[in-house]
Every structure is written in structure tokens, then in C-alpha cells.
Amino acid sequence: MIDFSIYVPFLGLLIFGNIENLILASQGVVVGADSKKLAILSILAVSCWLIIGTFATSFAIKYADAIEFIGGLAIVILGVQSMLKATHIIN
């Protein structure tokens, strides 16, 4: 049986990271990116993070607070950037 309790410190980052991935994908569609290429790159990125998360969690758990902060900050910055680009405030 898999012990999922080791992933609890990263739960917020997992949830909001996936939401941010959807935001970035929709931003790519809005700017006219090729949806097939965007889908392939998105699947590759998610697969890489799945592999890294699966095999590196026991090592990264020591740095969970820093990883959570940096990931959360990146999600906020990319989300704000996406919203500003969608409203044409920035190019």
C-alpha cells in the first residue's frame, strides 16, 4: 500500500500548480499557439513533474516549506501576468 501522507506538505502546490497549468495553457490558446504543440508540451511538463515528484519527494520533504513558498510565488506571478496579458494591459 502506498503511503500518501508524505505528499500532504505539497498538496497546496499540487492543486494550485495544476490550476496554473490550465491558466497558462488557455493563455497559449488566446495568443494563437498551436494547440497540438501546446498539448504535447503540457503533457511532457506534467509527466516530468510527476516523475520528479514521485522519486524526489523523500529528498525534497526537508525543503517542503521553501518549495511551497517558491512554487506559490511563481503561481501568483504567472497568474497575474496571465490576467494582465488577457486584458491587454501588458503585451
Side-chain angles (χ1 to χ4, degrees), residues 1-64:
M1 188 89 182
I2 299 173
D3 182 20
F4 290 106
S5 64
I6 62 173
Y7 298 103
V8 171
F10 299 111
L11 191 59
L13 194 57
L14 288 169
I15 293 168
F16 291 110
N18 285 314
I19 292 169
E20 185 61 32
N21 190 33
L22 292 172
I23 290 169
L24 291 173
S26 65
Q27 183 182 2
V29 170
V30 168
V31 297
D34 182 6
S35 59
K36 289 180 183 175
K37 289 180 183 177
L38 187 61
I40 290 169
L41 290 173
S42 182
I43 289 169
L44 285 173
V46 170
S47 298
C48 287
W49 281 115
L50 175 65
I51 292 167
I52 291 169
T54 301
F55 295 110
T57 298
S58 59
F59 171 77
I61 200 71
K62 294 181 265 185
Y63 309 103

Side-chain angles (χ1 to χ4, degrees), residues 66-89:
I67 293 169
E68 187 87 20
F69 175 77
I70 293 168
L73 182 63
I75 289 168
V76 169
I77 290 170
L78 290 171
V80 169
Q81 178 188 13
S82 175
M83 288 185 289
L84 291 175
K85 282 188 175 185
T87 57
H88 303 292
I89 293 174

